Structures are given as C-alpha cells and as structure tokens.
C-alpha cells in the first residue's frame, strides 16, 4: 500500500518513468529510415544538376502501413535504377505527417522554405492532400500525388501545379466496374455497400452511374461508418436486398478482410461480388488466402497483368519485401518515380510549371498501369481493369485482369463543364438524374 | 426473403458481437473493480493475444493450442507490467492511467515491427466449418461457438467470484481494500493475479475474435473504446454488468446499423449517456 510519506518521491519517480516510456513509445513509432534521404547513386562526374524532392507521407499513426508502402514504392524505383537520370541526381527528403492536415501543411512549408525542394510528392490522405496542394500552388511548387484519391484534387480544386501521378479518383476508377457488371457480367440488379465518407461516396457514385447507364438497376445503397469492424449486420442486409450483384467499396486495411469474413461466413456466393481497388488489395489477399481465389474487383492497378514493366516491378519489390507482392500504394509510389524519371530522360532538368507540363504532355506507353496520359486538369487517363484473384506459382495471390477498359477519364461520360456543375458526391447525390 | 429470418440473423449478429465484447470487457471490469485502474493497455493485450493466437493457430492448426499460447504470452507480459511498472505508481490515478497508455503504445509498436501491418485473421482450418441451417435461416457455427464460449466463461467467472475463497477475497477487495489487507491477505499479489487474469481474458478475446474481425495496427484503440462503453453501462467492477452491457451494445449496434445507419456510432454512446444520467454508477454498479 502506498504510504502518504513516500508519495512525493514516488510521484517524481513515476513522472520520470512516464517520460521515459513516452519517449520510448515515440521513438518506436518512427519506422527505421523514415526520415533519411534515399540513397543516391554514386555520381559519375557528369553533372546535369540535381532535383531535390520533398516526400510527405504518414509513416506513423493509423495510416502508417499505407504511408510506408507509398514511400517504399518511390524509393524502390531509385534503388533499382539508380537515383540519377541523365546526370540529374534525385535527392529525396521524407517527412511524416501522421495523416494530419495541420502537420502535413507544416511539413510542406518546412520542405519548401527550409530545404528548398524542387517539388513535393504526397501526401496520402485526401484532406491532407487537398491542404498541401493548395499551399504548394500558392508558392509555385509542383505537387505530385501518387495515391490520394479525392476526385476534387483534379476537379474543383485543380490547379496548374498539382498532378495526380499514380492513382485515379474514386468515381473514375469504379465507373468501368458498373459498366462491366451490367454488360459482360450480365447482372440486372445491384446492392452497394460503401464506406460512409468522401472516398466511399465517390467510389459508389462511379459504380452506380456505370451500372445504371448500361441498363442496370440499383435496388439499395448501404453505407457503413469507417470504424466498422463487424460487418455481419450489413451482410444480412445485403442478403435481404436480394440483388444479382453486390458492389463493395472500402478503404485499404482491415475493412476488406473483415467484410469478406462476414460475407463468406454467412455462406453467400463470392461469384456475385465485385469489390473496389482497396477492399481486394494485397493485404486482403494475404489475409484471406486460398478461399478467395476467383474474387472479382475493379481498379487501375492489376498486379497479375502480363507486362514486362509489371514483372520487373514485382520482382524488385519481392526482393525488397520478403517475397510480398506490391499493392496499390506501393504501385502509386513506384509509378510516380518512374514517371519522373521518364520525363527527365526526355526533357532534361525541368522544374516548376515546366515539370508539370512535361508530365501532363507525356504519354507513358508502358507504365506499370498500362498506357496512360493526362487530361487538361492534370488527371491520369488510362486503363481500368476488372480483376480476378488467381493463385501464382510462387505461393502469392494476384489480381489478374479479366476485362480492360482503356483510356478511362475522370468525367464519367460528361463534359468537364457539366461534371463540375454537379454537386459533389454524397449519400444523397450519386450522380444520377 | 421473409422478415423473421432477417430479424433472427440480426439477433444472432448482435449476440455474437456482444459475446466478443464480453470477453473483452469482463477482464477490464474485473481489473477496475479490484484495483481501481482503468487499464488503457487492455486493448493492446487483446491485440497481442490476437497476433500470437493467429501465428500459433497457423503453425499448429489447433485453436486450443493457439488460445493457450496467447494466454501464456499475454499473461507473462501483464505480470511484468504489473510487477515492474505499475507497482511503483500504485494508488496514484493519473500516473497509473498514463503508464498503461504508455504500455499500450509500446506493445502496439512492437506488434507493428514484428507482425507487420497486414490485417491478420485466424486461418480457415481452425474455425468451425459450416453454418447452422434452420429453414431459411443460415448462421455460421463459428459465431455460435463464440456466443457459447462467452456464456461459459461468464458463468465460470460468476461461480469463482461467488463460491470460492479467491472470489471472496476479490469481492472483499472491491468493497474495502484496507480491511482486506488488515485481515492478512497480501493484497499486492491479489492485484497482480487479477491483472494477469484480466489480461488473459483479453488474450482469449483477441484469439477468438481474430476469427470474426481482423487484428491489425489500430485495433487496440477500437476495442478499448467498445470495452469502456460496455463497462460504464454495466457498472464498473461488475461481471454481470459487463454481460448485460455487452449484449445490450451488441444488439443495439446490430439493429441500429440496419434501421438507422446514419446514427450507427451515436447509438453506441446514447445508451451510455442515458445510463450515466439516470444511474451514474452503471446498471449493476454499487453506489459510491
């Protein structure tokens, strides 16, 4: 029992203990190498200048895994190809924003004012991405986005210095999924289950428009809060809705496997299921294994696609990550780096608005995503794949394309003016008249 | 599909989620009851138990072995935390809570470093296969097993508390710590034992729960929040309260998600707020 006399001394001891533990916890939070610049390849004397890159990503906190994957993808490219293009050396400074818009902005200011970077890559989360993009535009620094999916980044909040380089908007990437379900898939009615925030609304809006414009009928739309861990209730609702096809859109991480556990546990048919990118990302495939071979999803990233660029990327990542297969976040980082390298190889050292226009005027014939180009709003136009999970000979699982929609743009069949005149997507507005 | 089947399914959904909540909340409420510590590391114990359970279940293909391994590993961790850290701040509420938060951080980060960031689930091979089918009602056996397990553990806890000498000491300790130590019981080791038992319950929850929902970075905070709501509703320190609170929250959660999805999160906190207003000590709590 604590005696009152010793309490003072013990408090001091306790305070010191807490300080030590807190310090330990904070140190432990930072993944190794998080703030070290990428190793630069030995300079060979011919000096074409240098590009200083600020890379913002959440490498701690709730989004640490996805954030670290995005950084890994970027670093991996420079590791295998050398951080030098035509004599231009690439130096990367990684900053952690922990998924917080305030921190993101502070880190962006630090990178611009103190480190004087030539451009900023990232961050990951939609609201942090929008905050950083607005700031970098105001100080004339280009901002490349490898993963952030918010439609508005290249629509209502578009500017001349912000480019989406390694992903598509939520509605854009899922529209072909709806089209596929209604046509090739042969489904007449659908029920949707999407995350109840901007990314889920946009993804669902894409699917619903693609589905209804091709003759399908959406019977019911169900929305789940982001904090959901037990999906059994929603699965019962899906079952009760009795539609031909179930479309599900979640963010990456646990919701995918959590949903599938509940769905398969209740004995529902996997053949009637179509997921978005992230619900069927590599994390889900690794977690679920054999039982989801044949599972279908829609995304701009298909790691099982037969292509030289993809094979090279997968081999390199496997060596780096103990034989793991890269998911969409790694792909976004890698895609951005390979795009920057290609543009520098073609145009030499370009910075500022010239760098952005060099990217948006470029057609990347053999990127890991396929043939991609950019529209007037600096958004990627490229293929979207309907994918099916297959088991590889190496013991890994791959999302392999079963249908490809080429040159998908972000306007879902509208003119840019008409699309921008609409309200933003929400539960109550899914883009339907 | 006929409506009664949907209703029955939702009841079972609510009960099975409630059962998982009970495995979590019973340990937390026991520790609080005796030690007056809100153990913020409880979620991290669940997480650690889940990871270890998944790894062992994958290696051995045996759920019982996995649960035992998780209990041992988490029990030892909890023992060290209590003896090496918590004893130094006994009786000082703020340092105690902060210390357990620190422990939670450390465990979560070690788990991330060790097990990586992928969501982890029990392998299919150790889950009870198949589903109960009564007419149109289909319900997975694994979830029914979770309900049964929670009932069994709840009954066992209640019997130990009411029928055994250990239970009597714990009950006395909850009511009056000074008297029980004056009677010659070494209350320090009772504390340690109870802390370990609480952690072991969290470890069981983690391993069994990994068959219903994924274990991954961040899960420690989610489950802790639910467990806190349950024990506040049930009354701090009461196993019966934890049982009632778990079933209540499980059912409310299931039906709210189906009928008033916009309020799905709010409906968890509304009952808690109501209980706090009308019965501040919780449904089964003793008046202070």
């Amino acid at each position: 029992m604590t005696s009152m006399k010793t309490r003072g001394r013990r408090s001091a001891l306790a305070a010191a203990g807490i300080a030590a533990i807190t310090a330990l916890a904070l140190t432990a939070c930072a993944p190794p190498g998080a703030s070290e610049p990428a190793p630069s390849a030995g300079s060979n004397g011919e000096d074409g200048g240098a590009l200083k890159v600020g890379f913002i990503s959440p490498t701690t906190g709730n989004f640490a895994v996805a954030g670290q994957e995005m950084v890994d993808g970027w670093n991996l490219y420079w590791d295998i190809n050398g951080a030098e293009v035509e004599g231009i050396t690439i130096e990367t400074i990684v900053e952690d924003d922990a998924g917080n818009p305030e921190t993101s902005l502070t880190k962006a200011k630090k990178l611009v004012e103190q480190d004087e970077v030539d451009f900023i890559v990232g961050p990951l989360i939609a609201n942090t991405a929008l905050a950083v993009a607005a700031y970098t535009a105001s100080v004339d620094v280009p901002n490349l986005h490898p993963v952030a999916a918010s439609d508005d980044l290249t629509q209502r909040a578009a500017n001349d210095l912000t480019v989406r380089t390694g992903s598509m908007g939520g509605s854009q990437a899922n529209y072909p999924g709806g089209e596929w379900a209604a046509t090739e898939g042969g489904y007449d009615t659908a029920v949707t289950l999407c995350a109840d925030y901007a990314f889920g609304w946009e993804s669902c809006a894409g699917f619903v428009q693609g589905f209804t414009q091709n003759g399908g009928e959406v019977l019911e739309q169900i929305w789940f809060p982001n904090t959901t861990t037990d999906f059994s209730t929603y699965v019962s609702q899906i079952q009760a809705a009795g539609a031909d096809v179930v479309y599900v859109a979640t963010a990456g991480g646990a919701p995918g496997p959590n949903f599938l556990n509940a769905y398969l546990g209740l004995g529902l048919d996997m053949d009637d299921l179509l997921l978005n990118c992230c619900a069927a990302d590599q994390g889900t495939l690794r977690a679920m294994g054999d039982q989801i071979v044949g599972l279908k999803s829609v995304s701009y990233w298909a790691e099982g696609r037969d292509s030289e660029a993809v094979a090279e990327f997968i081999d390199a990542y496997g060596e780096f990550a103990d034989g793991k297969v890269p998911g969409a976040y790694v792909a976004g980082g890698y895609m951005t780096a390979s795009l920057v390298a290609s543009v520098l190889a073609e145009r030499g050292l370009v910075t500022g608005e010239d760098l952005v226009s060099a990217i948006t005027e470029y057609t990347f014939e053999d990127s890991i995503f396929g043939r991609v180009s950019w529209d007037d709003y600096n958004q990627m136009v490229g293929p979207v794949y309907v994918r099916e999970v297959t088991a590889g000979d190496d013991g890994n699982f791959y999302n392999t394309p079963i249908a490809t929609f080429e040159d998908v743009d972000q306007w879902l069949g509208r003119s840019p003016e008409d699309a921008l005149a609409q309200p933003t997507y929400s539960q109550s507005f899914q883009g339907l008249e | 599909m006929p409506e009664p089947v949907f209703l029955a399914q939702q009841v079972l959904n609510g009960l099975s989620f409630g059962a998982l909540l009970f495995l979590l909340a019973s340990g937390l409420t026991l520790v609080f009851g005796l030690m007056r510590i809100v153990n913020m590391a409880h979620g991290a114990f669940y997480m650690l138990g889940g990871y270890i359970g998944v790894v062992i279940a994958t290696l051995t293909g045996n759920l019982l072995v996995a649960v035992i391994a998780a209990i041992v590993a988490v029990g030892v961790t909890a023992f060290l935390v209590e003896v090496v850290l918590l004893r130094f701040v006994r009786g000082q509420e703020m340092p105690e809570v902060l210390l357990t938060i620190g422990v939670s951080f450390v465990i979560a980060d070690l788990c991330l470093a060790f097990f990586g960031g992928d969501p982890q689930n029990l392998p299919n091979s150790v889950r009870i296969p198949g589903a109960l089918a009564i007419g149109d009602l289909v319900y997975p056996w694994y979830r029914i097993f979770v309900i049964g397990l929670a009932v069994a553990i709840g009954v066992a806890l209640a019997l130990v508390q009411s029928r055994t000498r250990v239970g009597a000491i714990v009950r006395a300790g909850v009511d009056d710590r000074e008297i029980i130590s004056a009677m010659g019981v070494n209350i320090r080791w009772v504390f340690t034992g109870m802390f370990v038992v609480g952690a072991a319950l969290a470890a069981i929850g983690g391993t069994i729960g990994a068959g219903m929902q994924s274990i991954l970075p961040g899960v420690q905070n989610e489950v802790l929040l639910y467990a806190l709501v349950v024990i506040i509703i049930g009354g701090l320190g009461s196993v019966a309260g934890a049982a009632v609170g778990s079933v209540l929250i499980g059912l409310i959660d299931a039906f709210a998600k189906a009928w008033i999805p916009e309020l799905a999160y709010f409906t968890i906190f509304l009952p808690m707020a109501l209980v706090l207003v009308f019965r501040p000590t919780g449904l089964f709590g003793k008046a202070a």
Side-chain angles (χ1 to χ4, degrees):
Chain A
M1 299 256 85
T2 310
S3 113
M4 293 304 286
K5 276 173 267 171
T6 59
R7 191 160 265 196
R9 202 189 309 153
R10 286 209 176 166
S11 297
L13 191 63
I18 288 163
I21 299 272
T22 314
L24 183 61
L26 292 177
T27 338
C29 278
S35 48
E36 289 161 24
S40 55
S43 79
N44 54 9
E46 60 169 312
D47 193 8
L51 264 186
K52 215 174 192 187
V53 184
F55 199 117
I56 309 176
S57 187
T59 51
T60 61
N62 281 346
F63 307 100
V65 175
Q68 188 60 47
E69 285 193 349
M70 180 167 95
V71 178
D72 289 345
W74 170 268
N75 284 339
L76 183 65
Y77 181 85
W78 305 114
D79 278 351
I80 33 181
N81 297 287
E84 190 178 307
V85 183
E86 303 284 319
I88 307 159
T89 50
I90 317 287
E91 184 199 335
T92 311
I93 303 165
V94 179
E95 290 288 347
D96 170 28
D97 71 352
N100 177 332
E102 289 296 322
T103 317
S104 240
L105 211 48
T106 311
K107 292 295 169 77
K109 283 182 179 152
K110 181 250 176 196
L111 287 167
V112 169
E113 288 164 17
Q114 212 170 307
D115 301 317
E116 297 180 335
V117 297
D118 292 301
F119 61 93
I120 284 180
V121 183
L124 174 83
I125 313 300
N127 56 350
T128 62
L130 289 165
V132 168
Y135 165 72
T136 48
S138 74
V139 290
D140 292 330
V141 171
N143 185 199
L144 317 187
H145 290 277
V147 169
S150 166
D151 279 359
D152 269 349
L153 202 54
T154 53
Q155 290 185 10
R156 290 168 189 81
N159 64 62
D160 290 341
L161 286 145
T162 303
V163 206
R164 196 162 2 220
T165 51
S167 65
M168 286 185 175
S171 59
Q172 179 187 10
N174 290 284
Y175 180 82
E179 188 179 339
W180 176 86
T183 54
E184 276 180 69
Y187 302 109
D188 295 328
T189 55
V191 52
T192 69
L193 173 66
C194 297
D196 195 6
Y197 75 115
F199 177 62
W201 302 330
E202 290 173 0
S203 304
C204 242
F207 173 85
V208 164
Q209 290 180 57
F211 193 65
T212 50
Q213 283 174 18
N214 288 283
E217 187 195 351
V218 177
L219 298 182
E220 193 177 346
Q221 293 202 270
I222 307 167
W223 308 95
F224 69 89
N226 243 345
T227 48
T228 303
T229 52
D230 183 1
F231 281 81
S232 55
T233 304
Y234 298 114
V235 172
S236 294
Q237 283 178 266
I238 286 172
Q239 200 178 7
D244 296 339
V245 65
V246 184
Y247 168 78
V248 180
T250 74
N258 281 343
F259 167 77
L260 285 168
N261 267 326
Y263 186 87
L264 299 175
L266 221 66
L268 299 193
D269 195 346
M270 199 170 65
D271 292 340
D272 304 333
L273 192 58
L274 182 70
L275 303 183
N276 73 332
C277 57
C278 312
D281 203 32
Q282 275 293 323
T284 303
L285 271 48
R286 286 191 289 263
M288 303 300 292
D290 274 337
Q291 52 176 331
I292 56 164
V293 168
L295 176 74
K296 287 192 270 303
S297 57
V298 56
S299 176
Y300 51 85
W301 169 234
E303 59 271 27
R305 188 169 66 93
D306 188 13
S307 128
E308 216 174 291
V310 172
E312 186 191 352
F313 171 42
I314 285 182
D315 286 347
Y317 186 73
E319 218 164 281
F320 165 83
D322 286 338
K324 275 192 198 169
V325 178
Y329 302 114
V330 194
Y334 185 89
M335 170 75 186
T336 303
S338 51
L339 177 64
V340 168
S342 306
V343 168
L344 293 179
E346 193 178 77
R347 300 278 291 263
L349 183 59
V350 280
T351 54
E353 225 165 294
D354 291 343
L355 173 71
V356 176
S357 54
I359 291 175
T360 53
E361 285 160 17
Y362 184 71
T363 299
F364 200 156
E365 291 292 343
D366 51 357
S367 85
I368 54 169
F369 291 167
R371 189 172 64 89
V372 296
S373 56
W374 278 263
D375 71 8
D376 294 342
Y377 292 75
N378 301 345
Q379 165 69 336
M380 208 165 79
V381 176
V384 168
Y385 306 97
V386 175
R387 324 171 297 178
E388 193 175 273
V389 177
T390 54
D393 299 331
D394 55 0
N396 287 313
F397 298 93
Y398 292 86
N399 282 305
T400 307
I402 52 169
T404 305
F405 293 77
E406 295 285 355
D407 298 324
V408 176
D409 67 28
Q410 62 173 334
W411 308 112
L412 316 189
R414 292 187 176 80
S415 70
E417 293 70 32
D418 288 350
L420 290 175
Q422 295 184 121
T424 49
Y425 295 126
S426 63
Q427 274 198 23
S428 51
F429 181 72
Q430 288 281 289
L432 304 172
E433 276 82 32
Chain B
M1 168 171 284
E3 189 76 348
V5 171
F6 179 69
L7 285 180
Q9 252 180 9
Q10 291 294 35
V11 169
L12 287 167
N13 287 337
L15 287 179
S16 54
F17 186 50
L20 184 58
L21 289 181
F22 175 74
L23 292 178
L24 251 173
S26 54
L28 187 61
T29 207
L30 280 175
V31 168
F32 181 88
L34 186 64
M35 301 169 76
R36 293 283 181 271
I37 293 180
V38 179
N39 177 19
M40 301 295 278
H42 199 71
F45 288 154
Y46 171 94
M47 178 191 216
L48 182 63
Y51 275 125
I52 289 172
V54 167
V55 168
I56 301 297
T58 310
L59 288 177
T60 64
N62 186 321
L63 187 56
L64 184 64
V65 174
V67 171
I68 292 170
I71 289 176
V72 171
V74 176
V76 169
T77 308
F79 180 81
L80 292 176
V81 167
E82 211 286 328
V83 174
V84 178
L85 299 171
L86 269 180
R87 280 197 182 179
F88 290 97
V89 292
R90 170 75 66 245
Q92 306 166 61
E93 278 170 20
M94 252 343 243
E96 276 175 345
V97 169
L98 286 175
L99 186 67
T100 55
I101 292 177
V103 168
S104 174
F105 270 120
V106 172
I107 292 178
D109 279 326
L110 288 176
C111 282
L112 178 61
F114 208 77
F115 299 102
D118 277 350
Q120 309 269 351
N121 292 289
L122 277 186
N124 235 6
S125 57
V126 304
R127 285 184 235 182
I128 296 129
L132 167 78
I134 305 171
D136 282 337
L137 174 69
V138 176
Y139 207 75
W141 279 117
Y142 185 81
R143 278 175 172 266
I144 294 171
F145 155 73
V146 176
I147 297 173
L149 181 74
V151 171
I153 287 182
V155 170
L157 284 177
L159 286 178
V160 168
Q161 247 194 340
S162 63
R163 300 285 167 83
T164 65
R165 184 178 139 77
V166 175
I169 292 170
V170 170
R171 270 183 292 138
V174 170
D175 289 337
D176 197 328
R177 288 184 280 178
E178 278 71 28
I179 292 291
I180 191 78
S181 54
M183 287 172 72
V185 173
N186 189 337
I187 193 77
R188 265 180 157 200
W189 288 106
V190 176
F191 281 156
T192 308
M194 195 44 77
F195 196 72
V196 171
V197 169
L201 286 167
I204 297 173
T207 304
I208 299 297
M212 279 170 57
Q213 56 185 50
S214 307
I215 305 288
L216 83 169
V219 76
Q220 78 277 19
N221 300 328
E222 282 164 23
V223 297
L224 180 67
L225 184 67
Y226 271 105
L228 285 172
V229 171
V230 164
I231 69 169
I232 289 171
I233 288 180
L236 296 161
S238 162
V239 173
V244 172
S246 303
V247 171
L248 208 59
I249 290 298
L251 288 175
I252 289 175
D253 191 50
F255 281 99
K257 277 174 179 171
W259 289 338
I260 34 171
E262 313 76 49
L263 302 179
Y265 216 39
F266 177 66
T267 47
I268 298 298
F269 290 99
L270 180 68
M272 184 178 95
L274 288 178
V275 166
L276 283 178
V277 168
F278 293 107
R279 215 182 135 78
T281 53
L283 295 177
F284 286 73
K286 297 200 177 67

